[in-house]
């Protein structure tokens, strides 16, 4: 593959969650023309491609990931013409476009499923996964990611269908070659509309246990047969390759051996994999990982993929809480910790993804009542917890820390009403501190999180060692510092981040002759090699090694 075809190795990506980006038609919901209206913002930020989260017509149960038509645009986001205009405008600015594709399930309202559920002989019946059912007892103990049984009775056929996510998201039967062919055609249909790539949703879920037996871990034990997924991915590979599409797999739970196979440039299926070792995905009650664990988990991937594949680097997306609240210190060091986190992950080896609002240092939503939440997973969790007797206050506290809605609040463009996102009440409440933290204000502030992200993006794009250089952890064996080196053809760079709210002390580094290229500390006379301030981040160009 040529270097031009591997453009994504030198690129910075930006994820757009359309319902919360910008509302152009004053209905309280962001839309595709709203994205187009803000292209200059993306250009100034300096990103090379956008990934648009699911915008297909949907049943609106799982925020667009319950698709009713794979070849369209949900009316709340605009029309297909709007989409084509957006792609053309982004391309004219030099920004490429990646779209989402939910492969594992459709909406229960999708015409395939409406037909499939009518009778066992319907031609679409075998598009989905069924087991005989008396309507009372689930066929086995399999549970959905969103809680409860993964089976829903379908009285018309005396069966139950499998849904590994919401009840309204029946799982597709990937054993059926016709399902594979449908997806091939859908990919070609969008390629014909000039998209540059796909983020393939939930690929580790595609293969289910064929014996339908009870499993030891009802949440995950019936899928994640990763070897079984490979033939399905192989069926998609020709259309993706023929159209030179960037392929990003959402691969929660993927192991290292499989990741290497899937990322192999000649025999693999993906250019980039989104894996979740550094976050506790879906686990509402789990606390954040300590720095030592982050060092271990991220380094494991960086080292293993060296020479074997390319990493997708991210700390936020539409399914995770805000990074500054999760990893950082949103109370005492909101600005500095947001900047430090940016340097920490973006300068590792791989293609960085920024999730909208992360570059502003947006924090969690600070919702205090259940009726502020829109996310189905959060609402289900709340009701399940209360049913088991968990206290309301405690459950709300967990949601405030981990709910997916934390990342789904609208972008504050200005400090005005509704953050200038819309002229009317948005579909979900704004996050906190809109007056202080918004695009208008931050773009005029040389010390803002936004300005720092612009600098980070530029440095990532312009320094070859920060793109292709080898990554090497410098283990400080503490619970504060994350230090690593990037090396390329004798050119050495050092990233040093204090990931804690206390001063860190280290004797390890002689940096006297090295050049400090970027830091998030206001007064750089504080940049003492031995004393590293809370959430201080430094990028050094190291002097030539003798
Ligand atoms: C993916 C999406 C998430 C969605 C899930 C089920 O993980 O990122 O938002 O809920 O798939 O469709």
């Amino acid at each position: 593959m040529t270097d031009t075809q591997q453009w994504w190795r030198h690129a910075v990506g930006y994820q757009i969650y359309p319902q919360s980006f910008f509302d152009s038609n004053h209905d309280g919901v962001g839309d595709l023309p709203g994205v187009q209206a803000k292209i200059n913002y993306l250009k100034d930020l300096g990103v090379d491609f956008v990934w648009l989260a699911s915008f297909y017509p949907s049943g609106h149960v799982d925020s667009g990931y319950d698709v009713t038509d794979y070849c369209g645009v949900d009316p709340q986001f605009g029309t297909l013409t709007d989409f084509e205009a957006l792609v053309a405008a982004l391309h004219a600015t030099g920004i490429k476009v990646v779209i989402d594709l939910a492969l594992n399930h459709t909406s229960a309202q999708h015409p395939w499923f409406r037909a499939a559920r009518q009778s066992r002989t319907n031609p679409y019946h075998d598009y989905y996964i069924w087991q005989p059912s008396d309507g009372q007892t689930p066929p086995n103990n399999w549970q959905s990611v969103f809680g409860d049984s993964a089976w829903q009775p379908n009285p018309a056929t005396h069966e139950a269908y499998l849904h590994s996510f919401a009840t309204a998201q029946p799982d597709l039967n990937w054993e059926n070659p016709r399902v594979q062919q449908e997806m091939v055609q859908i990919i070609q249909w969008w390629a014909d509309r000039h998209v540059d790539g796909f983020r393939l949703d939930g690929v580790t879920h595609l293969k289910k246990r064929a014996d339908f037996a009870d499993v030891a871990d009802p949440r995950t034990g019936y899928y994640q047969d990763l070897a079984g997924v490979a033939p399905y991915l192989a069926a998609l590979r020709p259309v993706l390759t023929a159209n030179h599409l960037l392929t990003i797999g959402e691969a929660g739970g993927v192991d290292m051996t499989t990741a290497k196979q899937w990322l192999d440039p000649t025999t693999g299926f993906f250019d980039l994999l989104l894996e979740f070792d550094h976050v506790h995905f879906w686990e509402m009650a789990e606390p954040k990982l300590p720095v030592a664990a982050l060092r271990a988990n991220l380094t494991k991937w960086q080292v293993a993929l060296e020479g074997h594949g390319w990493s997708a680097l991210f700390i936020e997306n539409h399914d995770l809480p805000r990074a500054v609240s999760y990893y950082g210190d949103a109370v005492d060091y909101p600005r500095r910790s947001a900047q430090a986190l940016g340097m920490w992950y973006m300068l590792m080896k791989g293609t960085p993804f920024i999730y909208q609002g992360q570059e502003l240092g947006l924090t969690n939503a600070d919702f205090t009542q259940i009726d502020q939440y829109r996310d189905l997973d959060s609402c289900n969790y709340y009701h399940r917890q209360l049913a088991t007797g968990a206290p309301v206050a405690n459950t709300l506290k967990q949601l405030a820390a981990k709910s997916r809605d934390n990342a789904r609040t609208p972008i504050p463009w200005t400090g005005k009403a509704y953050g200038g996102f819309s002229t009317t009440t948005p579909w979900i409440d704004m996050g906190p501190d809109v007056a202080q933290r918004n695009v208008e204000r931050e773009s005029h502030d040389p010390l803002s999180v936004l300005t720092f992200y612009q600098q980070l993006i530029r440095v990532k794009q312009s320094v070859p060692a920060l793109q292709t250089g080898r990554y090497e952890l410098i283990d400080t064996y503490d619970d504060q510092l994350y230090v690593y080196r990037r090396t390329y053809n004798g050119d050495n760079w050092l990233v040093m981040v204090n990931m804690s709210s206390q001063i860190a002390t280290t004797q390890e580094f002689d940096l006297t002759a090295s050049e400090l290229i970027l830091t998030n500390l206001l007064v750089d006379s504080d940049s003492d090699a031995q004393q590293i301030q809370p959430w201080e981040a430094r990028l050094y160009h190291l002097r030539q090694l003798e």
Side-chain angles (χ1 to χ4, degrees):
M1 207 182 272
T2 66
D3 204 45
T4 352
Q5 281 170 352
Q6 292 194 332
W7 57 268
W8 39 269
R9 289 193 172 213
H10 309 284
V12 175
Y14 185 84
Q15 186 192 349
I16 293 181
Y17 189 69
Q19 43 273 64
S20 289
F21 196 63
F22 181 62
D23 171 19
S24 75
N25 64 346
H26 319 291
D27 62 357
V29 183
D31 43 52
L32 298 184
V35 177
Q36 194 172 336
K38 297 293 184 187
I39 287 184
N40 280 342
Y41 174 71
L42 301 171
K43 198 169 172 248
D44 290 347
L45 186 58
V47 297
D48 303 287
F49 68 98
V50 292
W51 147 27
L52 297 169
S54 194
F55 55 75
Y56 303 95
S58 105
H60 300 288
V61 168
D62 184 21
S63 204
Y65 286 83
D66 48 319
V67 175
T68 56
D69 174 7
Y70 285 100
C71 298
V73 171
D74 194 281
Q76 75 172 356
F77 298 131
T79 61
L80 194 56
T81 310
D82 293 331
F83 176 81
E84 289 173 333
L86 172 61
V87 172
L90 284 164
H91 282 169
T93 324
I95 298 176
K96 296 191 193 291
V97 185
V98 169
I99 64 171
D100 224 302
L101 186 60
L103 297 174
N104 180 66
H105 43 260
T106 68
S107 160
Q109 301 306 315
H110 193 290
W112 298 341
F113 189 70
R114 288 157 75 113
R117 72 187 313 170
Q118 281 167 15
S119 75
R120 293 188 186 202
T121 53
N122 187 284
Y124 287 99
H125 190 72
D126 204 25
Y127 272 40
Y128 296 89
I129 300 172
W130 306 91
Q131 280 294 280
S133 163
D134 60 8
Q136 307 291 322
T137 327
N140 56 33
N141 72 345
W142 300 2
Q143 275 183 20
S144 82
V145 172
F146 295 152
D148 305 331
S149 169
W151 295 97
Q152 179 68 14
N154 184 54
T157 58
H158 305 287
E159 291 171 304
Y161 66 84
L162 182 72
H163 61 90
S164 43
F165 289 87
T167 313
Q169 290 171 304
D171 280 42
L172 283 163
N173 173 18
W174 276 80
E175 289 292 294
N176 183 346
R178 286 179 60 205
V179 168
Q180 299 173 14
Q181 277 320 303
E182 295 276 9
M183 288 299 172
V184 167
Q185 280 166 24
I186 288 160
I187 290 170
Q188 186 60 54
W189 195 88
W190 287 105
D192 292 343
R193 274 146 196 87
H194 311 299
V195 305
D196 302 288
F198 283 89
R199 179 258 193 188
L200 299 169
D201 182 69
V203 291
T204 41
H205 288 261
L206 297 184
K207 171 76 182 175
K208 308 330 186 267
R209 267 184 84 123
D211 61 3
F212 294 98
D214 279 0
V215 285
D217 180 351
R219 280 286 287 283
T220 58
Y222 61 97
Y223 63 90
Q224 296 195 337
D225 167 4
L226 301 171
V229 173
Y232 308 156
L233 299 176
L236 302 181
R237 192 61 199 159
V239 69
L240 294 162
T241 313
N243 290 286
H244 305 296
L245 294 164
L246 167 63
T247 52
I248 308 164
E250 190 209 18
V254 73
D255 60 57
M256 197 73 73
T257 313
T258 310
K260 282 187 193 168
Q261 286 164 1
W262 287 4
L263 286 168
D264 186 282
T266 37
T267 54
F269 313 116
F270 298 106
D271 300 313
L272 298 169
L273 280 184
L274 299 163
E275 55 79 20
F276 297 89
D277 256 3
H278 58 302
V279 287
H280 282 160
F281 197 35
W282 302 121
E283 299 305 329
M284 204 70 81
E286 295 214 19
K288 77 168 177 182
L289 290 168
V291 179
L294 290 173
R295 277 198 301 260
N297 291 3
L298 287 162
T299 300
K300 184 181 74 183
W301 283 94
Q302 289 276 307
V303 169
L305 292 185
E306 177 66 45
H308 291 283
W310 202 252
S311 290
L313 307 170
F314 72 97
I315 50 173
E316 287 192 14
N317 65 28
H318 64 292
D319 293 325
L320 296 169
R322 288 292 183 182
V324 64
S325 301
Y326 177 71
Y327 301 101
D329 183 339
V331 178
D332 293 326
Y333 295 97
R335 180 189 60 82
R336 215 195 283 170
S337 69
Q339 294 169 329
L341 292 168
M343 185 183 287
W344 164 60
Y345 90 101
M346 275 182 70
L347 302 187
M348 288 185 200
K349 185 163 184 172
T351 300
F353 287 73
I354 298 165
Y355 175 71
Q356 68 178 43
Q358 178 189 326
E359 76 283 13
L360 301 171
L362 295 192
T363 59
N364 277 352
D366 271 0
F367 291 167
T368 52
Q369 293 162 29
I370 189 62
D371 62 10
Q372 291 181 285
Y373 287 94
R374 299 287 173 271
D375 171 32
L376 158 99
D377 186 34
S378 304
C379 297
N380 283 355
Y381 181 77
Y382 177 85
H383 293 297
R384 262 198 333 271
Q385 286 297 101
L386 263 53
T388 63
V392 171
N394 194 38
T395 309
L396 284 173
K397 208 170 140 204
Q398 287 178 347
L399 289 182
K402 288 301 255 317
S403 164
R404 304 195 293 179
D405 279 340
N406 285 309
R408 297 179 178 184
T409 57
I411 292 296
W413 294 96
T414 68
K416 300 202 190 86
Y418 310 128
F421 160 77
S422 177
T423 51
T424 187
T425 313
W427 69 278
I428 188 168
D429 285 351
M430 301 295 299
D433 305 326
V434 169
Q436 277 74 43
R437 228 175 269 129
N438 61 66
V439 171
E440 192 175 54
R441 199 173 161 144
E442 292 200 29
S443 50
H444 293 113
D445 175 358
L447 301 175
S448 68
V449 179
L450 178 58
T451 305
F452 194 74
Y453 262 83
Q454 284 168 331
Q455 292 165 342
L456 274 175
I457 292 168
R458 250 173 261 133
V459 86
K460 177 84 182 179
Q461 286 163 335
S462 59
V463 177
L466 297 177
Q467 293 175 2
T468 20
R470 185 177 282 270
Y471 161 102
E472 185 197 342
L473 179 78
I474 299 176
D475 205 337
T476 45
Y477 303 99
D478 58 10
D479 213 9
Q480 293 183 283
L481 290 175
Y482 199 119
V483 186
Y484 59 93
R485 193 175 6 222
R486 301 290 313 277
T487 305
Y488 181 64
N489 282 347
D491 191 29
N492 288 279
W493 294 71
L494 188 84
V495 176
M496 187 191 285
V497 182
N498 182 352
M499 311 255 310
S500 81
S501 301
Q502 289 77 42
I503 289 179
T505 308
T506 173
Q507 308 293 327
E508 306 249 330
F509 313 100
D510 175 14
L511 297 162
T512 33
S514 301
E515 196 184 349
L516 182 63
I517 301 294
L518 188 59
T519 170
N520 62 345
L521 215 63
L522 306 190
V523 192
D524 79 10
S525 58
D526 276 4
S527 292
D528 171 331
Q530 265 74 49
Q531 289 254 308
I532 303 160
Q533 298 301 309
W535 295 104
E536 181 181 354
R538 304 179 193 170
L539 170 66
Y540 286 102
H541 193 189
L542 297 183
R543 70 184 146 77
Q544 283 300 322
L545 300 177
E546 299 303 320

